């Protein structure tokens, strides 16, 4: 989640909307009226809100670098990985020491990088995301004075035992923004591996919570810290572009390879640590009663208070040796690693049952954060519901922690969330960040270029969870919010690379439009077909790097039809969703209601017809009714009493101009 800007936007929308005004148009129920037929050619000329699409071939547009990957066989037009698919990766042994008093984070890394590609590599690219905080760095996120640092300082860098220098003219390593290009002592041939040893440190940025801090990590006002992007990480080298050279700018998110992690986190006495992976030395860091409760929580159907308020206040829950505690966390096939640390935090946990497994869902939080007291239980509900229903794939990790930091940001097996002013927003953020466990972590999408593949899914997947826990439908909010921007200069096609947009533009194409598109598609295909297609996509690409075209092709094959008529206007082309009631033609006891598609994006027709005396007739047609490109639908209605009103739309269906969605005689 692009935390600060998006959370601010949510607060604005909720303050205006959550007080009660639902969208115009009732949700249509009941049998569709007889006699609906699509007629008319696609609209010509540009209407103010976007003309209906006029066709132009069935093939989806592919940039040349994407097409080359398919031609080489690393991807297939079925949507599955091709016979020639490959993927590189790295394993990490990390040791880190944190001094909150000086805000110094220092570490050592032993990295093993595997070249599974068919290419010989002459350099390796390391990501130094902390360099976004350097004075003068190019970034798209404002930083307060104490969040500006020197970035990441590399003290030593060895490759296969050979030291790499940073001399301006003759060095074997150079730093370019938030990237470090390391020349290898010898070419890394296909199937080979290389060992890298790195020592580094950096000053942890201060996050004041007033909009001037780092958007995803740092120190907080209550003394807690959240450490993300804290170690040199090997960039993705893939079958499309080679090295991912995007330099982190604070706005656009991440693209990560997978690997195994073992991390030793050295902190001062009294600090608890919660992290990616599972705690590997619990008996060495948890005092006896806390250890017992922790072990109970791992297998408990109800929430266990692992660290209570008294222990939190006394800072007596953890074992120290010479004033320090060393926490060890480990995990396999992880795309990243982050951790939070705090003194005086409560700790709750539950062993949420998913099939024959238990997922350890825990919350670590400031005792003053009242809403966090129910977070472990709510997290358990989210994990169980998403595993069973949407997406209906078992939760991919053995645990997930909700850490009480600031804003809202996802990481593998841990999320960094603040506390918000109402339950609706608190539930939204926690469920959204937990949903990211599927995208981009279980399925390794490229968040940097195609943010809709993870943010849109993380908005869409937990909607039923959020409705259950807070009695609020965020799809309605998505529709109303998107309508404010539809057709404006901020309303870009979703297939525009995410790096070409920022701010409001990015929020629309990454969160709202894709979530609405998925909802329209799910109704169009039916839940069974849609859910089968989504699960097929997830299982095909688990632990891999799919492109949008892999997503589109998987759905085409699962649906048994080309959905390009849907993908093009929703994802590739400018345009808006906009239906209008053209009018009602009366003929005795029969009437014809004429619905026009003004905008190019296909949306369903949900229509409610009110007769004199109060009787209503409801009509539902999925977006497939526009498959052939028609611009007009004519619904013949048999009625005894005169028609007194017609209304189209439903709360979750976006419409760029809802003013023309109602008709009265």
């Amino acid at each position: 989640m692009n935390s600060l800007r998006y959370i601010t936007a949510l607060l604005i929308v909720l303050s205006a909307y959550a007080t009660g005004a639902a969208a115009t148009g009732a949700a249509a129920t009941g049998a569709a009226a007889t006699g609906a037929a699509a007629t008319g050619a696609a609209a010509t000329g540009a209407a103010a809100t976007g003309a209906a699409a006029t066709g132009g071939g069935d093939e989806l547009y592919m940039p040349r670098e994407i097409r080359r990957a398919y031609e080489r066989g690393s991807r297939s037009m079925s949507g599955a990985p091709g016979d020639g698919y490959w993927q590189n990766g790295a394993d990490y042994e990390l040791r880190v020491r944190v001094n909150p008093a000086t805000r110094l984070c220092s570490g050592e890394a032993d990295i093993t990088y595997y070249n599974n590609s068919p290419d010989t590599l002459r350099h390796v690219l390391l990501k130094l995301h902390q360099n976004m905080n350097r004075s003068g760095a190019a970034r798209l996120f404002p930083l307060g004075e104490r969040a500006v640092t020197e970035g990441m300082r590399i003290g030593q860098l060895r490759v296969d035992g050979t030291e790499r220098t940073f001399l301006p003219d003759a060095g074997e390593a150079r730093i370019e923004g938030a990237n470090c290009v390391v020349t290898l002592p010898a070419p890394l041939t296909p199937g080979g591996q290389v060992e890298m040893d790195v020592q580094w440190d950096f000053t942890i940025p201060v996050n004041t919570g007033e909009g001037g801090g780092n958007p995803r990590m740092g120190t907080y006002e209550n003394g807690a810290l959240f450490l993300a992007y804290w170690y040199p990480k090997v960039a993705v080298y893939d079958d499309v572009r080679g090295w991912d050279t995007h330099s982190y700018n604070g706005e656009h998110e991440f693209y990560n390879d997978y690997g195994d992690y073992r991390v030793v986190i050295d902190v001062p006495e009294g600090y608890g640590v919660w992290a990616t992976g599972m705690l590997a030395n619990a008996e060495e860091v948890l005092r006896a009663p806390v250890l017992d409760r922790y072990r109970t929580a791992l297998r408990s159907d109800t929430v266990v208070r692992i660290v209570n308020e008294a222990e939190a206040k006394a800072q007596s829950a953890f074992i120290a040796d010479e004033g320090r505690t060393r926490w060890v966390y480990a995990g396999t096939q992880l795309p990243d690693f982050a951790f939070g640390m705090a003194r005086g935090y409560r700790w709750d946990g539950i062993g949420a049952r998913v099939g024959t497994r238990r997922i350890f869902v825990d919350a670590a939080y400031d005792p003053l954060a009242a809403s966090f007291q129910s977070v472990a239980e709510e997290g358990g509900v989210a994990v169980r519901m998403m595993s069973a229903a949407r997406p209906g794939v078992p939760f991919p990790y053995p645990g997930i922690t909700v850490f009480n930091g600031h804003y809202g940001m996802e990481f593998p097996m841990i999320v960094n969330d603040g506390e918000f002013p109402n339950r609706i927003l608190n539930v939204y953020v926690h469920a959204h960040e937990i949903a990211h466990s599927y995208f981009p972590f279980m399925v390794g999408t490229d968040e940097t270029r195609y943010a809709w593949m993870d943010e849109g899914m993380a908005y869409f997947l937990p909607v039923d969870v959020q409705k259950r826990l807070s009695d609020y439908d965020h799809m309605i909010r998505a529709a109303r919010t998107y309508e404010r921007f539809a057709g404006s200069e901020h309303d870009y096609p979703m297939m525009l690379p995410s790096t070409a947009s920022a701010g409001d533009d990015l929020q629309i194409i990454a969160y709202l439009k894709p979530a609405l598109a998925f909802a329209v598609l799910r109704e169009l295909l039916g839940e069974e077909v849609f859910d089968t297609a989504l699960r097929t996509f997830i299982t095909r690409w688990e632990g891999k790097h799919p492109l949008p075209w892999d997503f589109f092709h998987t759905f085409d094959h699962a649906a048994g039809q080309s959905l390009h008529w849907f993908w093009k206007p929703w994802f590739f082309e400018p345009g808006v969703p906009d239906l209008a009631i053209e009018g009602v033609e009366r003929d005795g006891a029969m009437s014809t209601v004429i619905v026009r598609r003004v905008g190019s994006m296909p949306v369903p027709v949900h229509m409610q017809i009110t007769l004199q005396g109060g009787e209503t007739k409801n009509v539902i047609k999925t977006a497939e009714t526009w498959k052939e490109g028609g611009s007009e639908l004519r619904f013949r209605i048999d009625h005894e009493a005169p028609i007194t009103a017609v209304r189209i739309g439903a709360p979750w269906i976006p419409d760029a101009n809802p003013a023309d969605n109602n008709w009265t005689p």
Side-chain angles (χ1 to χ4, degrees):
M1 173 183 282
N2 190 5
S3 44
L4 177 59
R5 286 192 177 107
Y6 195 59
I7 294 298
T8 302
L10 292 183
L11 285 168
I12 293 170
V13 172
L14 284 172
S15 64
Y17 183 73
T19 54
T24 58
T29 58
T34 60
T39 61
T44 59
T49 54
T54 56
D58 187 53
E59 185 177 358
L60 295 178
Y61 171 75
M62 276 189 186
R64 60 188 179 188
E65 58 266 52
I66 306 296
R67 186 170 297 279
R68 282 197 293 265
Y70 285 89
E71 291 171 348
R72 288 192 294 259
S74 56
R75 300 174 188 264
S76 76
M77 297 301 287
S78 71
D83 292 338
Y85 182 81
W86 54 267
Q87 192 168 303
N88 290 359
D91 294 334
Y92 296 83
E93 292 273 351
L94 304 173
R95 298 167 296 282
V96 59
R97 183 181 178 94
V98 181
N99 188 335
T102 61
R103 295 171 29 227
L104 183 67
C105 176
S106 55
E108 301 175 346
D110 299 327
I111 306 170
T112 304
Y113 181 67
Y114 305 94
N115 181 19
N116 301 318
S117 81
D119 306 325
T120 295
L121 306 181
R122 304 190 187 285
H123 70 270
V124 168
L125 187 68
L126 295 177
K127 295 290 186 180
L128 311 181
H129 293 318
Q130 285 297 319
N131 284 2
M132 188 275 287
N133 299 298
R134 294 173 68 173
S135 177
R139 53 180 168 261
L140 295 177
F141 197 95
L143 295 181
E145 181 179 349
R146 298 186 71 196
V148 177
T149 70
E150 297 178 24
M152 187 170 284
R153 299 173 288 254
I154 303 295
Q156 180 176 281
L157 173 59
R158 290 194 177 97
V159 179
D160 283 341
T162 302
E163 188 167 356
R164 304 283 86 185
T165 64
F166 287 86
L167 296 175
D169 298 321
E172 297 93 359
R174 66 184 186 277
I175 295 176
E176 300 174 350
N179 294 330
C180 179
V181 182
V182 182
T183 302
L184 298 175
L188 181 59
T189 55
Q193 65 186 58
V194 65
E195 305 289 334
M196 290 177 283
D197 305 308
V198 192
Q199 295 178 1
W200 76 93
D201 64 51
F202 65 89
T203 300
I204 303 167
V206 172
N207 193 319
T208 63
E210 299 170 354
N214 187 288
R216 299 179 175 94
M217 57 85 64
T219 67
Y220 302 122
E221 293 174 342
N222 66 354
L225 302 91
F226 196 87
L227 277 295
Y229 325 122
W230 55 275
Y231 62 99
K233 181 172 177 57
V234 184
V236 173
Y237 184 88
D238 68 18
D239 60 317
V240 178
R241 300 174 188 86
W243 289 110
D244 170 31
T245 59
H246 178 263
S247 184
Y248 176 50
N249 56 31
E251 174 81 83
H252 303 104
E253 296 184 19
F254 307 96
Y255 184 29
N256 295 316
D257 266 333
Y258 293 85
D260 297 346
Y261 285 78
R262 182 174 176 83
V263 183
V264 179
I265 304 166
D266 185 329
V267 299
E269 182 176 4
Y271 277 89
V273 172
W274 297 268
T276 299
M278 295 298 286
L279 183 58
N281 67 332
E283 66 283 351
E284 297 175 7
V285 297
L286 304 181
R287 295 195 184 279
V290 177
L291 178 62
D292 291 342
R293 290 182 222 129
Y294 168 73
R295 288 171 171 165
T296 299
L298 290 171
R299 59 181 185 274
S300 175
D301 291 321
T302 58
V303 173
V304 175
R305 177 66 50 82
I306 301 169
V307 173
N308 60 38
E309 188 168 4
E311 291 161 335
K313 186 175 182 179
Q315 299 178 16
S316 61
F318 312 123
I319 300 169
D321 181 15
E322 297 182 351
R324 309 284 298 186
T325 303
R326 293 163 187 83
W327 299 72
V328 181
Y329 281 86
T332 60
Q333 278 299 284
L334 296 167
D336 199 5
F337 191 101
F339 65 95
M341 53 183 285
R343 277 179 168 150
Y345 265 29
R346 287 180 182 169
W347 185 13
D348 300 340
I350 184 174
R353 190 186 296 275
V354 173
T356 59
R357 301 163 54 219
R358 284 191 182 272
I359 310 300
F360 181 51
V361 182
D362 62 324
Y365 58 97
D366 191 321
L368 297 178
S371 68
F372 268 78
Q373 295 188 36
S374 59
V375 165
E377 181 179 358
E378 293 162 0
V381 171
V383 165
R384 288 191 296 268
M385 286 185 67
M386 285 189 282
S387 297
R390 185 191 296 172
V393 174
F395 195 76
Y397 297 114
I400 180 73
T401 298
V402 182
F403 181 82
N404 178 199
H406 207 53
Y407 304 140
M409 186 62 197
E410 72 278 1
F411 304 88
M413 298 183 66
I414 187 169
V415 303
N416 178 22
D417 289 352
E419 188 176 32
F420 301 97
N422 58 66
R423 180 169 176 77
I424 290 173
L425 193 50
N426 279 305
V427 167
Y428 168 82
V429 172
H430 301 322
H432 174 91
E433 308 306 353
I434 291 172
H436 273 298
S437 299
Y438 291 97
F439 298 92
F441 300 143
M442 182 180 188
V443 180
T445 56
D446 183 348
E447 300 178 82
T448 308
R449 293 171 180 83
Y450 310 114
W452 63 265
M453 294 188 76
D454 81 291
E455 295 294 359
M457 272 296 174
Y459 191 107
F460 173 74
L461 293 178
V463 164
D464 289 341
V465 175
Q466 293 155 349
K467 284 193 287 190
R468 173 173 169 179
L469 293 175
S470 65
D471 194 27
Y472 186 84
D473 188 345
H474 287 273
M475 291 308 301
I476 299 174
R477 176 172 59 79
R480 298 295 79 77
T481 306
Y482 173 51
E483 286 172 355
R484 293 168 46 208
F485 294 94
S488 73
E489 62 184 357
H490 295 289
D491 187 11
Y492 298 158
M494 285 186 277
M495 287 300 291
L496 180 77
S498 303
T499 49
S501 61
D504 288 342
D505 312 28
L506 184 59
Q507 307 315 313
I508 295 165
I509 67 173
Y511 294 79
L512 305 182
K513 282 179 72 173
L516 292 165
F518 300 147
V520 171
L521 184 63
R522 193 171 195 240
E523 185 194 58
L524 186 164
L525 296 177
E527 292 188 8
E528 182 177 354
V529 173
F530 178 93
D531 292 347
T532 297
L534 181 58
R535 291 166 191 154
T536 299
F537 177 68
I538 291 172
T539 53
R540 280 178 170 181
W541 291 95
E542 179 179 359
K544 301 181 178 66
H545 297 314
L547 295 168
W549 292 265
D550 302 314
F551 177 83
F552 300 143
H553 295 157
T554 295
F555 269 74
D556 287 353
H557 280 256
Q561 61 171 301
S562 170
L563 295 167
H564 295 183
W565 63 272
F566 179 86
W567 305 129
K568 285 183 178 182
W570 267 99
F571 289 84
F572 288 83
E573 300 170 347
V576 297
D578 186 11
L579 300 181
I581 299 178
E582 187 79 4
V584 177
E585 297 176 351
R586 303 179 185 179
D587 182 13
M590 298 288 292
S591 291
T592 300
V593 180
I594 305 168
V595 176
R596 177 166 294 277
R597 182 173 72 157
V598 183
S600 60
M601 295 163 64
V603 291
V605 178
H606 285 216
M607 182 163 57
Q608 185 180 76
I609 300 162
T610 303
L611 305 179
Q612 187 174 346
E615 181 186 355
T616 60
K617 293 179 179 287
N618 296 293
V619 177
I620 296 178
K621 289 290 180 181
T622 73
E624 190 170 15
T625 197
W626 307 109
K627 180 177 180 179
E628 301 304 323
S631 62
E632 184 181 278
L633 288 176
R634 303 176 69 88
F635 295 89
R636 288 182 59 80
I637 308 298
D638 183 5
H639 57 89
E640 296 180 1
I643 295 176
T644 59
V646 181
R647 179 170 59 190
I648 56 172
W652 65 274
I653 301 173
D655 194 293
N657 181 24
D660 56 14
N661 288 6
N662 295 276
W663 176 91
T664 55

